[in-house]
Amino acid sequence: MEEINYGEIQQFLDELMGSGFDFQDMVEKGAAGENPLSLKSLASLMQGALFEELLTQKQLWLHILLLALAAALLLHFADVFQDRSVPEISFCMIYMILFLLLIRSFQTSLGIAQDVMGAMRSFMTVLAPAYFLAMTLSSYLTSAGVYYEFILLLISGVQWLVESFVLPCVEIYVLLVLVNHLSKEKRLGQFAKLVSMAADWSLKAALALVCGFHMIQGLISPAADSFRNLAVSRGIGMVPGLGSAGSGVTDLVLGSAVLIKNGIGAAALLVLILLCLVPLTKLAVIMAVYYLLAAVLQPVSDERIVGCLSGMGNGVRLLFRAVFTVLALFFLTIALTTALTGG
């Protein structure tokens, strides 16, 4: 299988993840039935990302907590001021500072989501030639053509959906939540909910379409290729002078090609997991802290502050779901394609 070149894939991994991952070695271990990466390594990577994000965001969350407590003190001691407008104006000033802090925090979360989704699309782009060449060498010609076109369409479709619709919807949702809680009269709550539902349902629709394609296509192309492979093997077996020996050699060559293809698929799935493990952990930590702050501050702080923090948690949750959905789309595509053309 010297025809398969892993150079471009390895270059991409070296640039993004360092030189500690050898893609060809992972393929060979996967083809041999070995575990290319231990669960202990994944757990260690996730634990490191968890504590790193907690330390990085600690100061920002402390500032948010102090501002929320300051706003609560102002409103609870409003009777001290003769002019009733003083505490409300002071609250608005504190809220605007909080507004800026939350926007900066959200931009960080948005950058994490954009970077990891861009990395996944780039990886799928460099993976496709090697993976579908291996599928072609395993004599799955029809499937290779169909799924290669689908992969290219999926990459461009995901890029358009995420960059042109989902992420802008999440940004609009966060802005609506922050503006909505500026005054006691919440007039933008339903609109924010509508934008959130639009982003959520578009991700679910994309996942359903991909699963539907694989269910339908899995009944057609692999069956046609399997029939062709069987016909070739039986045809060689009927040639005088070759007989069962020629048929056995053909089955052996095709079987080894299928093993290589499956090894590439298994290695690709592990790379996708490694690409998303740290960013998803960071987004999960940020989301959990926002929900925790909202729960802790609810008994003492103003409901506008609590609603604002809860809304920020929902915004980061949408980013988490967007990243997870893109991972699921690519993961299911590789896993189902490998399984349906597995023998």
Side-chain angles (χ1 to χ4, degrees):
M1 293 299 168
E2 291 80 6
E3 297 89 347
I4 302 175
N5 184 10
Y6 304 107
E8 194 172 359
I9 301 174
Q10 189 60 51
Q11 182 181 357
F12 170 82
L13 294 179
D14 291 341
E15 292 175 356
L16 196 66
M17 306 171 66
S19 57
F21 296 95
D22 188 339
F23 187 79
Q24 185 169 355
D25 182 61
M26 294 170 69
V27 170
E28 292 173 355
K29 286 183 178 180
E34 301 177 14
N35 190 3
L37 198 65
S38 65
L39 292 176
K40 186 178 180 180
S41 301
L42 294 176
S44 175
L45 194 63
M46 184 182 296
Q47 185 179 9
L50 176 66
F51 288 110
E52 179 187 355
E53 192 61 29
L54 285 173
L55 292 175
T56 302
Q57 301 282 340
K58 179 180 67 176
Q59 188 175 8
L60 175 64
W61 292 327
L62 181 61
H63 289 164
I64 293 173
L65 182 62
L66 292 176
L67 286 171
L69 292 175
L73 287 173
L74 272 173
L75 294 176
H76 287 167
F77 292 98
D79 295 337
V80 176
F81 301 96
Q82 294 182 354
D83 189 352
R84 293 289 182 177
S85 63
V86 172
E88 193 63 33
I89 294 173
S90 301
F91 175 83
C92 289
M93 293 176 63
I94 292 175
Y95 190 88
M96 292 308 297
I97 298 173
L98 182 63
F99 185 101
L100 295 175
L101 286 176
L102 293 177
I103 285 293
R104 189 181 74 176
S105 173
F106 178 74
Q107 289 297 324
T108 301
S109 302
L110 183 63
I112 293 172
Q114 288 174 326
D115 290 343
V116 66
M117 287 190 283
M120 282 192 285
R121 291 196 305 269
S122 299
F123 173 69
M124 292 296 292
T125 302
V126 299
L127 171 73
Y131 180 72
F132 289 104
L133 176 59
M135 187 182 292
T136 302
L137 294 175
S138 62
S139 195
Y140 279 90
L141 302 177
T142 305
S143 299
V146 171
Y147 284 115
Y148 185 65
E149 291 180 0
F150 176 73
I151 284 286
L152 296 179
L153 179 63
L154 179 63
I155 293 171
S156 59
V158 164
Q159 182 175 3
W160 176 84
L161 177 66
V162 170
E163 293 182 358
S164 301
F165 186 74
V166 174
L167 293 184
C169 280
V170 177
E171 291 182 272
I172 293 171
Y173 170 78
V174 169
L175 287 174
L176 288 173
V177 166
L178 293 176
V179 174
N180 187 48
H181 289 91
L182 181 59
S183 65
K184 292 183 179 180
E185 296 181 1
K186 301 177 180 63
R187 300 181 182 275
L188 299 173
Q190 293 302 317
F191 188 35
K193 187 182 295 185
L194 178 63
V195 173
S196 172
M197 288 177 58
D200 197 11
W201 280 99
S202 64
L203 293 172
K204 291 180 180 178
L207 191 59
L209 286 173
V210 170
C211 291
F213 169 83
H214 284 292
M215 289 179 63
I216 296 172
Q217 196 60 44
L219 299 173
I220 303 172
S221 299
D225 287 323
S226 297
F227 178 77
R228 183 189 300 112
N229 294 345
L230 180 63
V232 170
S233 177
R234 294 290 174 83
I236 292 177
M238 295 174 63
V239 175
L242 293 178
S244 59
S247 178
V249 170
T250 303
D251 292 339
L252 180 63
V253 171
L254 294 179
S256 63
V258 169
L259 282 177
I260 295 296
K261 173 188 65 67
N262 290 353
I264 294 175
L269 294 179
L270 283 175
V271 170
L272 284 174
I273 293 174
L274 290 173
L275 286 176
C276 295
L277 189 61
V278 171
L280 284 176
T281 303
K282 290 182 177 181
L283 291 174
V285 169
I286 296 171
M287 175 180 62
V289 170
Y290 276 128
Y291 285 138
L292 180 63
L293 286 174
V296 170
L297 291 170
Q298 188 173 21
V300 296
S301 188
D302 188 85
E303 63 175 2
R304 289 173 285 177
I305 300 289
V306 175
C308 177
L309 293 175
S310 179
M312 286 297 298
N314 290 335
V316 179
R317 179 180 58 83
L318 286 174
L319 291 178
F320 182 94
R321 180 169 293 181
V323 174
F324 189 83
T325 302
V326 173
L327 170 63
L329 290 174
F330 292 144
F331 195 94
L332 285 173
T333 295
I334 295 175
L336 291 177
T337 303
T338 302
L340 292 172
T341 60

